Each structure stands twice: as C-alpha cells, then as structure tokens.
Amino acid sequence: MSAKIKLAIFASGTGSNYQAIEQAIRAGKLEAEVGLVVCDQPEAKVIEKARQNNRPVFIFKAVDYQEKAVFEQAIINELEMHAVDWIILAGYMRLVGSTLLKRYQGRMINIHPSLLPAFPGLDAIGQALKAGVKVSGVTIHYIDSGMDTGEIIAQEAVNVKIGMTHEQLQTTIQQIEHDLYPRTIQQLISKGDSF
Ligand code: GAR
C-alpha cells in the first residue's frame, strides 16, 4: 500500500472547511491525511479544531517577519519537515507570494465564495449581494500570483433568493463548500503523484 498524500491546510478563521476535510477523511471519502495546519491568526478558531484532531499546527504573525519571503520560507521549512504534498487554502486571507509559489505551484489550491472571475478578494458574499446578482456560488482554483485569478478547477452555482441576508447566503455557500472541496481534492490527488 502506498503512503497517503499529505495535505497542509492554510486557514485564518473558523475552519469549517478544514473540519469538513477532516470529516471526509474519517468517512473514507478522501484518501489523504492532514500533515499540518498553517494559521496566520493566533486567535483563530481553526487552531483549537486542529489541536482537537492532534494535528501539528504552525502559527505565525506576519508582522513578526521582515517580509513575506521570510515567513513563507519558514512555512516551507515546516511543510518539508511534515512531507506535505498539497497545500489547501481554506479561508487563508493572505495573498500567496513568490517564495511559496515557486515551490508549490500546481499543488496549491484555494476555495472562494463566488463564481470567479466575479467578486474576487474580500467579502465576496457581500460584493455579490451588493451587485444584486441572482446567481453566485463557489469556485475552487489553483493558486497563481494574482488575487483569486488562478486556473479554475471546479465551480458550483447557488441561487441568490430575493431578500437573502449575508448570513443566509454564507450558510448556503458554505454547505456547498463542505461537500465540493473534499470531493475536488480527492479527484486531484488521485490523478497526481506526490513530490
Ligand atoms: C470560506 O467560505 C471560504 O470560501 C472563504 O473564507 C471562508 C472560510 O471559512 N475564503 C475566501 O474568501 C478567500 N478569498 P472557514 O474558515 O469556516 O472554512
């Protein structure tokens, strides 16, 4: 039996997508293991979730480093120490820089709560509501140097109903994310080799 693909989950907040990935692994729907959780917010809820699952967690504060290249190198050291194959961004609210890209491009994906290229960047859900669109959704894409611009891997649409609040649209979108992300990761890793 070959070794399982190792994922690193990068997150900045609640970690519901992280949790959905752990659940899919436990349910045998995703043949991988979480080798590391990386978090740039020391108070984020995802940290507690990762600890409950006994996962190694690398926590950093960007302000403690001179520049992005320096903390990204520190992240790479951790990723290498834990023999990580794929980087899964799950609510990591930071633009990935050239240091990480050089090492992991093609093995680094993100989930975004809109149908890209519509509404990139912060608060995609608020942007969609403000624009009055009738359809929004979820996009999973490879990371490149832009803000939510990498090649699209999977998308799923959501109807935006009249009068829907931010919270309601977010809940609907996250339900889709929690199913689509583990399924898409499984498809990707079953296609590729590890490093
Ligand atoms: C998710 O909805 C994800 O799509 C979004 O942050 C949320 C994180 O939730 N990501 C972005 O907006 C990235 N631009 P979670 O911490 O509960 O998984």
Side-chain angles (χ1 to χ4, degrees), residues 147-162:
M147 170 79 79
D148 301 322
T149 50
E151 185 193 335
I152 291 172
I153 303 163
Q155 287 187 309
E156 205 168 310
V158 167
N159 288 323
V160 184
K161 296 184 188 133
I162 292 166

Side-chain angles (χ1 to χ4, degrees), residues 13-18 90-93 110-113 121 148 173-174 177-178:
T14 311
S16 69
N17 278 285
Y18 159 68
Y92 180 70
M93 304 309 275
N110 180 42
I111 190 158
H112 185 77
D148 301 322
I173 280 184
Q174 289 208 334
E177 290 186 340
H178 299 165

Side-chain angles (χ1 to χ4, degrees), residues 11-19 46 49 89-94 110-114 119-125 138-139 141 147-148 170 173-174 177-178 181:
S12 305
T14 311
S16 69
N17 278 285
Y18 159 68
Q19 215 165 18
V46 67
K49 293 186 170 92
L89 270 53
Y92 180 70
M93 304 309 275
R94 198 168 278 286
N110 180 42
I111 190 158
H112 185 77
S114 75
F119 314 128
L122 289 178
D123 192 19
I125 291 170
V138 175
T139 302
H141 64 93
M147 170 79 79
D148 301 322
Q170 181 169 320
I173 280 184
Q174 289 208 334
E177 290 186 340
H178 299 165
Y181 215 6

